[in-house]
């Protein structure tokens, strides 16, 4: 069978198109494999027990904890999260995190001390205060 000049051009174009299609498929497969290495882990921001003796915290990612002003103390969520402990003292401004520890030093004894506590969500209807040490005069 004799191929004409026109049919050689057509064959060359088809081979080129097949090569491009195969390369595109290979690139797509490679991208899928790369993305499958990174799995997004989601976990609830629930209460956790910190590594600090007797303190509780909230389970966040390390970056969330830092952004919210907490300190990491132990892990949670199968080590995908950190137990984030929030501690504020007199004049520290505002806090809107569950399980925040308020501390007052001996320097504040007898003087006024303030901290604004904000709701962490609109459906909050109660505030619970647990005193570890309380002295009334």
């Amino acid at each position: 069978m004799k191929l004409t000049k026109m049919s050689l051009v057509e064959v060359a174009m088809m081979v080129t198109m097949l090569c491009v299609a195969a390369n595109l498929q290979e690139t797509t497969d490679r991208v899928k494999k790369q993305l499958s290495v990174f799995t997004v882990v989601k976990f609830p921001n629930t209460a956790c027990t910190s590594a600090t003796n007797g303190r509780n915290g909230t389970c966040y990612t390390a970056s969330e904890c830092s952004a919210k002003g907490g300190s990491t103390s132990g892990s949670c969520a199968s080590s995908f999260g950190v137990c984030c402990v929030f501690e504020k003292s007199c004049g520290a401004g505002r806090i809107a995190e569950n399980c925040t520890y308020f501390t007052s030093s001996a320097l504040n004894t007898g003087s006024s001390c303030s901290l604004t506590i904000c709701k962490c969500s609109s459906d909050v209807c109660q505030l619970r205060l647990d005193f570890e040490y309380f002295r009334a005069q």
Side-chain angles (χ1 to χ4, degrees), residues 8 22 41 65 88 90 100 106 117 119 127:
L8 284 175
V41 177
C65 181
K88 295 290 182 178
C90 288
T100 298
I117 301 168
K119 290 181 175 186
L127 172 67

Side-chain angles (χ1 to χ4, degrees), residues 115-134:
L115 176 70
T116 303
I117 301 168
C118 304
K119 290 181 175 186
C120 60
S121 71
S122 61
D123 62 347
V124 172
C125 60
Q126 291 184 348
L127 172 67
R128 175 179 159 176
L129 299 173
D130 293 336
F131 295 97
E132 292 178 4
Y133 176 78
F134 181 74

Side-chain angles (χ1 to χ4, degrees), residues 43-61:
F43 53 87
N45 302 122
T46 56
C48 56
T49 304
S50 74
T52 307
N53 192 16
R55 297 284 170 128
N56 293 319
T58 305
C59 192
Y60 285 115
T61 64

